[in-house]
Amino acid sequence: MTLFDSNKSATASIANNTPGANLSHRFVSAPGQRHFLRVASHNVGSIGAYLLRVRMLKSYDRFEPNETALAAKSINLDSSVDAEISDNHDVDYFKVATGRRSGTMLVKLVNRSSTLRPYLHLFDSRKSSMREGLNDTPGADLEVTQKVLAGHDYFVRVQSYNNNLPGKYTLTVSVK
């Protein structure tokens, strides 16, 4: 079985050379993405009937889609949100308004998994990079601070360091 993306480029090839054996493959697809599948005999010349089943598995949190700053989900200061990096391609963006507060923004990620290697990136209202932080220890927590101004929107990007392993986390943003 060969899986192709919307450009008809092969993305995965899966085989089982045991006659009559089952075969399965899980993959990540962006919303609205089209894929193509080719099923063929592993041993040229063998024939047989097969059943093909494709089904979506829920692998996202309530904030999806939030893969870009333009699709960032707004969160309130001093409120904790539970979210998840669901696969090695997932990136989460959140938008935080400072309101009348200025001072030091604290972005705190509490890791709720044993796999996520947290990487935080802060952006200003123009979506320009301000500060980054990472912890390449799986399951570790992470905090990043940055001076901010009142009346501005800021963006927080959460992802797995090196796009490695997924995991659940709790994010809290405050300004002191």
Side-chain angles (χ1 to χ4, degrees), residues 14-47:
I14 307 95
N16 188 333
N17 62 2
T18 303
N22 294 332
L23 187 63
S24 66
H25 178 64
R26 290 180 184 222
F27 63 97
V28 177
S29 176
Q33 190 71 22
R34 182 176 285 207
H35 299 275
F36 299 92
L37 185 68
R38 177 177 59 208
V39 177
S41 172
H42 182 67
N43 299 317
V44 177
S46 64
I47 60 171

Side-chain angles (χ1 to χ4, degrees), residues 7-138:
N7 296 320
K8 299 182 183 128
S9 295
T11 58
S13 184
I14 307 95
N16 188 333
N17 62 2
T18 303
N22 294 332
L23 187 63
S24 66
H25 178 64
R26 290 180 184 222
F27 63 97
V28 177
S29 176
Q33 190 71 22
R34 182 176 285 207
H35 299 275
F36 299 92
L37 185 68
R38 177 177 59 208
V39 177
S41 172
H42 182 67
N43 299 317
V44 177
S46 64
I47 60 171
Y50 62 89
L51 170 67
L52 178 65
R53 180 181 302 155
V54 178
R55 58 189 173 131
M56 294 287 295
L57 303 173
K58 182 180 183 285
S59 182
Y60 52 89
D61 59 41
R62 66 185 175 101
F63 298 104
E64 297 295 343
N66 63 339
E67 271 43 51
T68 67
L70 295 175
K73 301 302 182 198
S74 293
I75 60 174
N76 296 322
L77 286 175
D78 303 320
S79 296
S80 295
V81 294
D82 292 335
E84 178 178 5
I85 299 299
S86 58
D87 61 65
N88 60 349
H89 300 289
D90 192 17
V91 175
D92 291 344
Y93 276 85
F94 298 96
K95 181 178 176 180
V96 181
T98 56
R100 295 190 295 190
R101 295 192 203 174
S102 64
T104 300
M105 177 181 281
L106 170 64
V107 180
K108 183 177 181 178
L109 182 144
V110 175
N111 209 328
R112 297 184 299 121
S113 79
S114 61
T115 55
L116 179 64
R117 298 167 60 200
Y119 174 46
L120 294 173
H121 198 151
L122 277 59
F123 300 88
D124 65 15
S125 58
R126 297 170 301 160
K127 302 172 195 79
S128 294
S129 176
M130 295 177 69
R131 175 89 51 182
E132 297 175 74
L134 66 93
N135 193 328
D136 67 354
T137 302

Side-chain angles (χ1 to χ4, degrees), residues 130-150:
M130 295 177 69
R131 175 89 51 182
E132 297 175 74
L134 66 93
N135 193 328
D136 67 354
T137 302
D141 298 336
L142 181 60
E143 292 183 0
V144 175
T145 59
Q146 174 65 43
K147 295 285 186 190
V148 295
L149 301 173

